Amino acid sequence: MKKFAFLLVSAGLSLGALAPIAAAEPRQVISHEKLWMMKRVGAPQVSPDGKWVVYALVEPSYEKDGTVSDLWLVPTDGSAVPRRLTSSKAGESSPRWAPDSRRIAFAAKREGDDEAQIYVIDLAGGEARRITSVPTGAGNPQWRPDGGAILFESSVYPGALDAAANKQAAAERKARKFNMRVYEHFPIRYWNEWLDDRRPALFVQELTEGSVARDILSPTTLARVDGFGGSAQGDGGVSLSPLWSPDGKEVLLTATTERWNAAYARVNFGLYRMPVAGGEPRLVTPQPGEYGDATFSPDGKTLVFKFNTQGEAVYDLARLNRVAWPAGGAATPVAPGFDRDAESFAVSADSRSLYLTVPEAGMTNFYRVPVAGGKPELVIAPKVGGYAGISIAENAATPVLVASYGSAIHPAEIVRIDPSARAHRNLTQVNVAQAASIDWASPEHFWFTAKNGRRIHSMIVKPPAFDASRKYPLLVLMHGGPAAMHADAIGLRWNPHLLASAGYVVLMTDYTGSTGYGEEFARKIKLDPLRGPANEINEAADEAARLFPFIDKANACAAGASYGGHLANWMEASTTRYKCLVSHAGEVDLLTQWGTSDFSYGREVASGGPPWGDSKVWRDQSPITYGNDWKTPMLLTAGERDFRVPMANTLETWATLQRQQVPSRLLIFPDAWHWITKPEDSRQFYREVDAWLAHYLKGAPAVNGGPVVVKQP
């Protein structure tokens, strides 16, 4: 009872205050406002001595410039509630602990900064101090092992071999009287950005008074190779993923010299090491492929990283590998027979074990494997949700492991994990009370064998005030990717509970091509990008209706975004089983998508060759091929700034629907890119989707003319 009382006190509540609230107040229906306004807890970073965790906390707002993002601090022993460490209008990113566990470096664009710079704050008190002044900005700070300097990234202009030349080039660009982009090689854009001619660079900033940041990479031959570049990071930005060697005399980076091959081949990346004092980078390990997430064991004897070959499969599983340090050489797999992705990992303080978070069938489990190699051991398989962002204290007297933990009904919180007890306890309680006040339940899982013989996993989400004796309309929600999975995790885009809140059962199926089920399952989508997965989704709807009598299969709609939008368009072309469809950022013609997207070669691999080859996939599995058969009413949405699935696809879908006189509605969000991220745009998107579903599944009046307007109470 004492432990439970502590958790309540740490959340700012008492036992006496909480009990009457829980007993008296009924749980509320989820709304966009309740979901959007939940605070968002960032990935944890534990101090080297194991005493503290720093994390970013976003406090959202619907008002322009109203969102607040600051760094917060919480002790790992749970002896005190979290406290705000920074307080400024600008958000901080990439917090990193100094080796002394007293200082934290971070990137921020504060008042007076033209671009983001690196700041350092001392836990002893006082304001954060800016330590860089780079005209092209600074990010991703990394402390030298002795704490006397910081390595960081920037993008520099061609020919700028030092900081002074880069400053001059930046000034010259700013003074130009014309505005023009020039390209001679592919790629030219990424997600929502036009790429320019700047190149990634690495700087070292000594922390002595009067020191100026030094560009250590641009003068090298490697950095001047035509195709030099960094690797794409998630949904935006490019990084060299730098880190210091254990002795602080070298820097490691991940880079390519094949960037301009992207139009006709896979782009390989190398893991390089270079002396900080000056010299040419050289490969750590010779295997061509793709490297990522490199880290050293605390004893400095082993370098661990993710690596995958890049062949002609549509998906290559990134596996954990290791090399001895400082020798380098051929990489050795850590867990050769493990057919799952280590989404995040960290090395234990004694350098003997790796702890992994592993997505599997909607969950994210916690594993352990010896650094020397072996079979991963499942440590924790949570009943709901899963873990992310492991961070381990390198110098703590006793093991300190922290991570994020959350689920579809529990927004992520910072937790401390006890592997021996196979359990965790919360260090933060940011959204616990609010989440408990909402009428929602964890997804319910089921499996079935599809007609093609494959075992397929699905989940359903039930509406609030659920009554098993009733019949509920079905909303089939299709995930993007396709190399992704439906996860038991909370999200703002296409949130299944928010979609279910109007009285629908939401079905989520991990079709062939999804991750979390092994490399071969993800690869089987090659040459069958739409038909096979769509058939499995339709079979899942049939199976769900068989298993759950409360589902009204005859009263169903299907919806999806990105690759899920591709599938929605395919449903339009291939079936009339749904009363309506919703497609966001969906391709309608494989050729249009190949020619206008921000990458193209991977689409050739998936379709069996270039469009002018002999592969029938380009036409056979393009929804527009079957335009004459389109009949299902469809809501289309797109971001005008989307370069991954350019708006041309949506306009082509719209033209076909209008040509065939299919009831349809088109929503264009001028400020959105691949995702709708602005709060009011997001709220309006959900209003429109809800009104569309209500008309076709509940007989509500159709929306005519302008946008859906919801009267405020």
Side-chain angles (χ1 to χ4, degrees), residues 222-523:
L222 175 69
R224 297 199 298 274
V225 172
D226 283 345
F228 176 76
S231 60
Q233 300 295 301
D235 56 11
V238 170
S239 176
L240 296 168
S241 303
L243 73 157
W244 292 94
S245 65
D247 62 8
K249 295 180 180 179
E250 293 181 281
V251 165
L252 278 75
L253 63 141
T254 303
T256 183
T257 58
E258 303 174 6
R259 178 186 175 196
W260 290 344
N261 298 359
Y264 54 84
R266 297 289 196 190
V267 174
N268 291 305
F269 288 81
L271 184 58
Y272 293 86
R273 60 195 294 182
M274 64 172 293
V276 178
E280 195 61 31
R282 56 192 177 92
L283 288 170
V284 174
T285 180
Q287 293 102 317
E290 189 167 16
Y291 295 80
D293 300 339
T295 189
F296 283 103
S297 58
D299 64 9
K301 296 180 180 179
T302 307
L303 178 66
V304 183
F305 49 88
K306 292 169 75 171
F307 170 76
N308 62 274
T309 56
Q310 297 203 99
E312 291 303 300
V314 295
Y315 173 79
D316 295 297
L317 181 65
R319 290 179 165 86
L320 288 172
N321 279 254
R322 71 182 191 278
V323 296
W325 191 264
T332 302
V334 174
F338 193 54
D339 193 25
R340 294 292 186 271
D341 176 43
E343 192 171 60
S344 68
F345 68 90
V347 188
S348 62
D350 62 8
S351 299
R352 296 179 179 177
S353 299
L354 279 167
Y355 289 94
L356 331 171
T357 62
V358 179
E360 294 181 286
M363 317 297 281
T364 305
N365 297 323
F366 192 71
Y367 280 81
R368 173 173 50 209
V369 64
V371 171
K375 181 180 179 180
E377 170 199 3
L378 179 61
V379 179
I380 307 175
K383 293 182 179 179
V384 298
Y387 299 95
I390 306 171
S391 183
I392 299 179
E394 294 184 359
N395 304 321
T398 57
V400 178
L401 287 77
V402 299
S404 295
Y405 171 78
S407 76
I409 61 171
H410 301 103
E413 301 281 356
I414 307 300
V415 300
R416 181 166 176 177
I417 299 174
D418 183 348
S420 60
R422 299 181 183 271
H424 72 256
R425 63 183 177 89
N426 278 40
L427 297 177
T428 65
Q429 304 279 336
V430 176
N431 291 301
V432 170
Q434 186 175 358
S437 72
I438 296 172
D439 184 2
W440 52 5
S442 294
E444 189 167 339
H445 300 242
F446 70 92
W447 294 77
F448 73 98
T449 301
K451 292 178 182 178
N452 57 23
R454 295 173 197 149
R455 291 283 290 165
I456 303 296
H457 173 256
S458 295
M459 298 184 291
I460 63 166
V461 166
K462 300 172 184 175
F466 175 74
D467 180 355
S469 66
R470 288 181 53 192
K471 281 281 191 179
Y472 291 91
L474 178 65
L475 175 60
V476 175
L477 184 60
M478 300 172 290
H479 75 68
M485 76 173 186
H486 285 294
D488 183 357
I490 201 164
L492 296 172
R493 300 186 294 265
W494 296 90
N495 183 279
H497 284 96
L498 188 52
L499 293 166
S501 66
Y504 309 113
V505 171
V506 175
L507 170 66
M508 300 176 288
T509 298
D510 285 340
Y511 47 77
T512 295
S514 302
T515 53
Y517 306 91
E519 186 177 59
E520 188 60 28
F521 187 83
R523 286 179 166 183

Side-chain angles (χ1 to χ4, degrees), residues 43-105:
Q45 293 285 327
V46 66
S47 59
D49 63 8
K51 295 180 179 180
W52 299 97
V53 176
V54 65
Y55 59 94
L57 182 68
V58 176
E59 300 173 75
S61 172
Y62 282 101
E63 301 299 322
K64 184 180 180 182
D65 301 325
T67 298
V68 174
S69 177
D70 287 314
L71 299 182
W72 285 66
L73 202 64
V74 64
T76 58
D77 63 2
S79 60
V81 297
R83 67 179 175 90
R84 192 188 301 266
L85 185 62
T86 62
S87 182
S88 67
K89 292 182 180 180
E92 292 84 14
S93 64
S94 305
R96 295 291 184 271
W97 286 96
D100 60 14
S101 298
R102 288 179 42 250
R103 296 166 293 166
I104 297 171

Side-chain angles (χ1 to χ4, degrees), residues 143-227:
W143 289 88
R144 195 167 65 195
D146 65 3
I150 290 179
L151 173 73
F152 65 90
E153 294 190 81
S154 187
S155 295
V156 300
Y157 289 100
L161 302 185
D162 56 37
N166 187 48
K167 183 177 181 179
Q168 181 179 349
E172 291 173 356
R173 292 295 176 94
K174 191 174 182 179
R176 280 182 176 176
K177 295 183 179 181
F178 62 89
N179 186 13
M180 179 179 67
R181 300 186 183 100
V182 178
Y183 300 97
E184 296 177 348
H185 299 278
F186 198 85
I188 63 173
R189 47 190 198 173
Y190 183 70
W191 284 115
N192 64 334
E193 294 181 329
W194 286 93
L195 303 179
D196 59 24
D197 56 352
R198 288 183 297 174
R199 295 188 173 203
L202 299 178
F203 287 74
V204 172
Q205 174 70 62
E206 300 285 344
L207 298 184
T208 54
E209 191 69 30
S211 295
V212 177
R214 179 168 59 95
D215 186 342
I216 63 171
L217 181 61
S218 295
T220 66
T221 301
L222 175 69
R224 297 199 298 274
V225 172
D226 283 345

